[in-house]
Amino acid sequence: MGCPCDEKELTDKQKYKQLKEFINESKNKKGYLIPVLHMAQVIFGFLPPEVQNFVAKEMNTPVSVVTGVVTFYSYFKIFPTGRHTITICLGTACYVRGAKKIMEELEKKLGIKIGETTEDKRFSMGVQRCLGACGLAPVIMIDKDVHGRISAQKLDKILELYK
Amino acid sequence: MSKRSIAQVLVGIDGNTVLFGARKIKTKLITEMHKHGLSEQVQVIETGSIGPANQGVIIGVYPAGEMYGNITEEEVVEFVQERFVKGRPYKKLLLSEKLPAGIDLTAYDSRKTQYLGRIVLDNCGKINPEDIEEYIGMRGYEALGIILKEKTSEEVIKIVRDSGLKGRGGAGFPTGLKWSFTAKVKDTPKYVICNADEGEPGTFKDRLIMEGDPHKVLEGMAICGYAIGANTGYIYIRGEYQLSIQRLEKAIKDAEKLGLLGENIFGTDFDFQVKIKIGAGSYVCGEETALLTSMEGFRGEPRFKPPFPAESGFLAKPTNINNVETFANIAPIILNGAEWFKKLGTESSSGTKVYTVLGHIKRSGLIEVPMGVTLREIIYDYAGGMSSGNFKMTQIGGTAGNLLSSEFLDVPLDFQSLKEVGYSLGSGAVLIMNETVSVVDFIKCCMKFFVHESCGKCTPCREGTRYAYEILDKISLGKGKADDIESLKLLGESMKDSSFCPFGQSAPNSLLNSLSLFPEEYNNLLIK
């Protein structure tokens, strides 16, 4: 899947055109709804109702099926997110190593709860149940970077890296 | 290798070490060697996970078998100077453990006269996973060649069945038997699916197997394809496992180039293609029928069995699904024979098991030990003992697994022995906790996970997990009453009996264990 996001900000019209091309390429293959939604999220950043309607129409599938899939998988987002996404791992290994404290500390620092975005759109915060990096517990992930063996004291320094 | 080098430095590059800058360290090592004119004598090699997972970047030095941890870019300069220019061990970062080849594993297995080495992780931390020739050098793809030229598909299934290999995903179903079901069905096309949707908290063995030795998994899948009559394989993998995906993609491409996958493998008329399907983040998709629904592009909800996937699986065609670790066992079994495999492990469970050992212990990480090793041996021999405090409890098999107290320390870990005490082996996670962990809090955390991940298809699981969480929350806040304990028990038992799929059936496992093993922890929090 080529990433079209390297280019400059596209207009909505161009975005829909791009998505349509991808759908046409894969329309007749079975099981392609999930890859199409992956692509749609790459193009739009999240999947608002309009995009879900568009996908449903183009793929000749009921909207209920599309929405069902979007809301089922944690990867798909229906709200716009901040520039950076913080994911706190609350898997059991991280939990016993103090992940809950990290979560509370982040909530206090950023003034938002899980699932929310800061007013300046800098950070969104979510949780994950195990990132598979248990050897580094407790772990948080910011965008694609995993930060391991986090402590409340280290948080400021890490957050500084993401403007 | 054009010239013979006298020493090799292995840099373990896996999901964990990459975060500590393993790639930069590899580059730095190469430049430093060059600076000292050592490039020809000392080879710097990239490999998969070497083992320890909480020691930063790990490098190994052969032939000495030394292992170094927590190495940083700045430290590389001094390390090369000390270790290779002056030629003495760099004591500052030297780990007490030795590289796999140096470990005397025989000492730990009293049940069998000899332990024959690692099977699944044999190449991990030794070969460069991105170089197919190194895998071939370790007898890679030989098993596939042998069966294609010399064996019928029935003979292959017989070997696997005779070996006693049981599925390593958690349920422990005999692999050979599973294959024979799909082989019997006449309908075509058939599919081989590798379940790499490793979402069980605390488990990351499959990831390290795929990162460390991707070809072994592919070879196992191709052998399975030949045995059951399938020409297409899929690997359903978690989207978070970027490095595994990259390495598998490269491995598939390289194997196709050499004619070891693709069309007319080894010049025979057997074709086998492997494709990768990336999941979108859902725990329940590790359940095989939910995985199939997800692969078909829908909400990953489980289906009713029967029909079993062997008859009607992916796109309603005959499908065989196995775990990554199961596939990684196949080629070694074909090469060495069923009898060899049976010599390892115990009566009921042959072979080895890969565990990820975590929590309050000195050395966390990946180990492969014969089936039947006890918890006590894992904690005190392999993991170096408790890092702080005293042993209180272990959760084996991840969040859906069982909770064990100290009285279970000497139960051999294999399918049968655990079944006898009412437990199951599960996925391979071993989370060890000391007395600082509150049982109620821990179980509450596990239950929160199930609330979040329940797919919502059946009521016992969807509502049961939620109510269990609410009651646990109440108790943990000191607002619980005695009858709440009874409700939890009833709720747990009902979920076990009436949930649609193994997800809901296993969700209350640890909860129920904790109620019988640590009743006082609950009672202390109740309103008197």
Side-chain angles (χ1 to χ4, degrees):
Chain A
M1 228 183 278
C3 179
C5 51
D6 311 332
E7 296 155 32
K8 279 194 192 117
E9 188 65 29
L10 300 167
T11 62
D12 269 4
K13 214 175 151 189
Q14 284 170 312
K15 286 180 184 171
Y16 279 114
K17 193 169 158 254
Q18 216 173 42
L19 181 58
K20 193 173 172 166
E21 278 167 16
F22 185 79
I23 293 174
N24 287 341
E25 275 170 38
S26 47
K27 212 177 199 167
N28 298 322
K29 294 183 201 160
K30 278 184 182 158
Y32 255 70
L33 180 54
I34 290 177
V36 164
L37 291 172
H38 265 291
M39 192 57 168
Q41 187 155 300
V42 169
I43 296 172
F44 289 89
F46 67 112
L47 302 170
E50 306 85 71
V51 175
Q52 294 177 33
N53 285 335
F54 181 79
V55 170
K57 206 173 130 214
E58 291 298 322
M59 291 192 70
N60 222 351
T61 312
V63 186
S64 59
V65 172
V66 176
T67 306
V69 169
V70 169
T71 52
F72 185 83
Y73 296 100
S74 60
Y75 181 83
F76 298 123
K77 306 268 176 280
I78 43 174
F79 297 110
T81 49
R83 292 193 296 283
H84 304 290
T85 308
I86 304 176
T87 312
I88 307 161
C89 180
L90 286 186
T92 39
C94 287
Y95 184 82
V96 298
R97 291 253 185 178
K100 205 168 127 197
K101 235 184 235 148
I102 303 290
M103 185 174 87
E104 288 161 1
E105 192 64 28
L106 274 170
E107 285 182 338
K108 212 163 66 191
K109 270 195 200 318
L110 300 172
I112 51 170
K113 295 249 169 251
I114 298 302
E116 295 177 351
T117 303
T118 53
E119 232 164 68
D120 59 1
K121 296 262 181 286
R122 187 170 155 206
F123 290 113
S124 299
M125 193 157 64
V127 293
Q128 250 275 14
R129 303 284 157 174
C130 197
L131 294 164
C134 317
L136 309 174
V139 166
I140 64 170
M141 191 159 103
I142 304 185
D143 300 336
K144 285 201 160 177
D145 313 328
V146 178
H147 299 273
R149 280 193 238 150
I150 296 284
S151 63
Q153 294 81 5
K154 283 190 196 161
L155 283 174
D156 280 333
K157 246 193 186 160
I158 294 168
L159 293 180
E160 267 308 293
L161 300 171
Y162 301 88
K163 291 290 172 194
Chain B
M1 255 186 267
S2 54
K3 281 192 183 120
R4 245 187 107 73
S5 52
I6 50 167
Q8 289 92 31
V9 179
L10 301 175
V11 187
I13 297 193
D14 61 54
N16 281 339
T17 58
V18 162
L19 309 173
F20 285 103
R23 287 192 198 285
K24 278 190 200 143
I25 285 169
K26 185 191 154 196
T27 320
K28 184 85 183 166
L29 274 166
I30 293 173
T31 21
E32 281 302 306
M33 294 296 175
H34 189 75
K35 247 191 225 160
H36 292 290
L38 290 167
S39 302
E40 279 178 14
Q41 286 107 311
V42 186
Q43 214 188 353
V44 179
I45 306 163
E46 177 176 332
T47 183
S49 170
I50 293 179
N54 60 348
Q55 309 267 24
V57 179
I58 309 284
I59 60 178
V61 178
Y62 272 119
E66 294 157 6
M67 210 192 270
Y68 296 91
N70 293 316
I71 192 152
T72 61
E73 233 183 314
E74 296 79 56
E75 218 123 19
V76 169
V77 181
E78 213 184 317
F79 169 73
V80 172
Q81 177 73 24
E82 251 333 87
R83 181 65 189 79
F84 293 101
V85 179
K86 292 186 181 161
R88 54 191 181 208
Y90 186 56
K91 289 226 174 81
K92 202 165 131 201
L93 300 175
L94 191 65
L95 300 179
S96 56
E97 48 210 308
K98 287 250 176 178
L99 277 167
I103 295 178
D104 179 20
L105 287 160
T106 50
Y108 296 128
D109 192 13
S110 50
R111 281 164 301 281
K112 300 287 168 190
T113 47
Q114 205 185 6
Y115 178 55
L116 301 150
R118 308 206 290 185
I119 301 175
V120 174
L121 301 175
D122 191 22
N123 297 335
C124 291
K126 272 196 219 160
I127 64 165
N128 178 353
E130 297 193 10
D131 188 346
I132 187 168
E133 296 196 357
E134 294 205 7
Y135 179 66
I136 294 171
M138 307 298 284
R139 299 183 74 190
Y141 290 103
E142 195 180 313
L144 181 61
I146 291 172
I147 60 143
L148 289 181
K149 301 269 187 194
E150 296 169 10
K151 301 237 187 299
T152 65
S153 52
E154 290 82 22
E155 284 169 331
V156 176
I157 293 177
K158 190 168 180 304
I159 297 174
V160 176
R161 195 191 300 187
D162 289 347
S163 75
L165 174 67
K166 288 180 176 172
R168 299 291 195 248
F173 193 80
T175 307
L177 194 60
K178 201 177 201 178
W179 288 16
S180 70
F181 293 152
T182 320
K184 257 186 246 158
V185 183
K186 290 273 174 325
D187 198 8
T188 52
K190 296 179 184 177
Y191 297 100
V192 174
I193 293 176
C194 173
N195 185 350
D197 187 49
E198 189 178 47
E200 190 65 68
T203 314
F204 49 97
K205 67 176 176 74
D206 294 344
R207 187 178 85 181
L208 296 181
I209 295 168
M210 293 184 286
E211 284 171 3
D213 202 2
H215 286 287
K216 198 176 248 170
V217 181
L218 297 177
E219 190 180 359
M221 288 177 72
I223 293 170
C224 174
Y226 176 75
I228 67 167
N231 301 108
T232 313
Y234 285 98
I235 302 175
Y236 184 91
I237 188 169
R238 274 184 84 169
E240 287 91 343
Y241 283 8
Q242 282 302 327
L243 187 62
S244 304
I245 296 169
Q246 281 166 23
R247 285 193 174 154
L248 283 167
E249 278 172 347
K250 181 163 195 306
I252 293 171
K253 229 186 262 165
D254 291 348
E256 281 175 352
K257 235 182 257 162
L258 296 182
L260 299 167
L261 283 179
E263 286 175 9
N264 301 105
I265 299 174
F266 281 105
T268 63
D269 56 4
F270 176 63
D271 303 338
F272 194 74
Q273 254 192 335
V274 180
K275 294 174 195 166
I276 294 176
K277 280 250 181 191
I278 298 169
S282 167
Y283 171 81
V284 72
C285 290
E287 195 279 328
E288 58 178 13
T289 60
L291 183 149
L292 293 171
T293 329
S294 173
M295 276 184 58
E296 290 164 5
F298 302 106
R299 288 169 68 90
E301 287 178 0
R303 304 177 189 167
F304 193 73
K305 295 192 269 193
F308 287 91
E311 286 164 30
S312 172
F314 184 50
L315 304 174
K317 294 291 175 190
T319 305
N320 180 78
I321 307 166
N322 283 125
N323 175 262
V324 173
E325 192 186 338
T326 314
F327 280 124
N329 271 300
I330 301 296
I333 290 177
I334 301 285
L335 280 179
N336 301 296
E339 282 310 309
W340 166 84
F341 192 73
K342 268 169 79 174
K343 271 191 206 139
L344 302 168
T346 60
E347 210 61 30
S348 70
S349 319
S350 31
T352 60
K353 181 80 192 82
V354 180
Y355 295 103
T356 44
V357 191
L358 304 157
H360 298 123
I361 39 159
K362 287 214 180 96
R363 294 197 297 263
S364 55
L366 192 67
I367 56 167
E368 179 176 357
V369 294
M371 282 280 186
V373 162
T374 64
L375 255 182
R376 190 186 298 280
E377 287 170 308
I378 289 185
I379 299 171
Y380 295 98
D381 295 343
Y382 292 91
M386 302 296 290
S387 62
S388 61
N390 295 316
F391 175 85
K392 178 174 182 180
M393 55 183 175
T394 296
Q395 193 184 41
I396 59 162
T399 312
N402 293 103
L403 200 69
L404 279 69
S405 61
S406 55
E407 58 192 283
F408 294 94
L409 277 173
D410 293 308
V411 177
L413 297 180
D414 65 38
F415 294 111
Q416 192 57 35
S417 313
L418 282 169
K419 210 172 158 188
E420 278 162 18
V421 290
Y423 286 169
S424 71
L425 187 58
S427 64
V430 179
L431 179 63
I432 292 149
M433 291 165 270
N434 65 16
E435 71 277 1
T436 61
V437 180
S438 145
V439 171
V440 180
D441 260 359
F442 176 72
I443 296 295
K444 189 175 111 179
C445 163
C446 294
M447 201 46 78
K448 185 84 195 260
F449 169 77
F450 289 116
V451 174
H452 183 260
E453 292 291 348
S454 172
C455 80
K457 181 173 176 133
C458 74
T459 315
C461 173
R462 183 186 63 237
E463 301 300 322
T465 50
R466 192 171 298 271
Y467 279 104
Y469 175 76
E470 280 172 14
I471 299 172
L472 284 163
D473 191 42
K474 203 166 104 185
I475 297 174
S476 74
L477 296 171
K479 294 177 188 161
K481 297 193 188 100
D483 56 354
D484 284 328
I485 303 290
E486 290 313 306
S487 311
L488 275 179
K489 275 186 195 155
L490 187 66
L491 193 57
E493 294 296 344
S494 325
M495 283 169 71
K496 254 185 127 107
D497 291 340
S498 57
S499 292
F500 185 86
C501 81
F503 178 101
Q505 291 156 13
S506 58
N509 276 350
S510 287
L511 167 67
L512 292 171
N513 297 153
S514 72
L515 286 167
S516 60
L517 293 174
F518 301 99
E520 70 291 350
E521 297 239 353
Y522 285 89
N523 291 334
N524 290 345
L525 290 166
L526 298 178
I527 302 173
K528 292 282 156 17

